């Protein structure tokens, strides 16, 4: 049985460092990020690692993995989200994510799911949606 759920998260910490390339041009960066989740997912301090490819100063794509330890609709455990997205000059970040197969623990063991979020510059919290399933 699948469940559709939603909530919000906030970027609690963002530490981005250049890896290669030139300022203002094509380059690669790494970001260590901490997110706090509310709603269906309740988790403080979720740790995320992004690799970001900029095509210019304000446009690019990213991939990342996020370790979430908390609850999902009241069930305790942890899981890893695999994320892929893009961002544009307008400050909008579009992302799709999925639960990494085999990564869920505790009451969330066997969790599968996919979701999306759209973050906008200046927005205090980012809404997410998640469709997931747990074994019977």
């Amino acid at each position: 049985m699948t469940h559709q759920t939603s909530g919000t998260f906030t970027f609690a910490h963002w530490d981005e460092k250049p890896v290669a390339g030139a300022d203002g041009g094509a380059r690669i960066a790494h970001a260590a990020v901490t997110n706090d989740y509310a709603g269906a997912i309740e988790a403080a301090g979720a740790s995320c690692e992004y690799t970001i490819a900029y095509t210019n100063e304000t446009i690019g794509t990213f991939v990342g993995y996020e370790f979430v330890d908390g609850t999902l609709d009241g069930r305790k455990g942890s899981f890893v989200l695999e994320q892929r997205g893009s961002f544009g000059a307008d400050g909008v970040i579009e992302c799709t994510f999925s639960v990494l197969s085999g990564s869920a623990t505790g009451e969330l063991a066997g969790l599968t799911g996919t979701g999306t979020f759209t973050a906008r510059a200046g927005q205090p919290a980012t809404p997410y949606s998640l469709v997931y399933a747990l074994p019977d």
Side-chain angles (χ1 to χ4, degrees):
M1 178 177 185
T2 61
H3 305 273
Q4 187 166 347
T5 192
S6 62
T8 61
F9 70 90
T10 57
F11 296 112
H13 178 75
W14 186 285
D15 181 24
E16 186 172 329
K17 295 191 180 353
V19 174
D23 285 341
R27 66 189 189 283
I28 296 172
H30 176 263
V33 179
T34 304
N35 294 318
D36 293 332
Y37 282 86
I41 299 171
E42 292 285 338
S47 179
C48 186
E49 299 290 325
Y50 288 117
T51 298
I52 306 164
Y54 289 89
T55 55
N56 66 35
E57 188 61 34
T58 58
I59 298 172
T61 61
F62 62 90
V63 294
Y65 291 93
E66 182 169 21
F67 183 79
V68 180
D69 187 11
T71 62
L72 171 59
D73 286 337
R75 294 179 184 215
K76 291 183 181 185
S78 64
F79 54 93
V80 174
L81 294 176
E82 183 174 39
Q83 302 180 16
R84 185 170 298 276
S86 63
F87 53 93
D90 59 1
V92 175
I93 301 168
E94 299 282 348
C95 181
T96 59
F97 57 85
S98 60
V99 176
L100 185 64
S101 180
S103 69
T105 66
E107 295 173 347
L108 299 174
L111 174 69
T112 60
T114 59
T116 63
F117 71 78
T118 300
R120 301 185 192 296
Q123 185 178 31
T126 300
Y128 66 85
S129 63
L130 172 66
V131 176
Y132 72 90
L134 284 164
D136 294 334

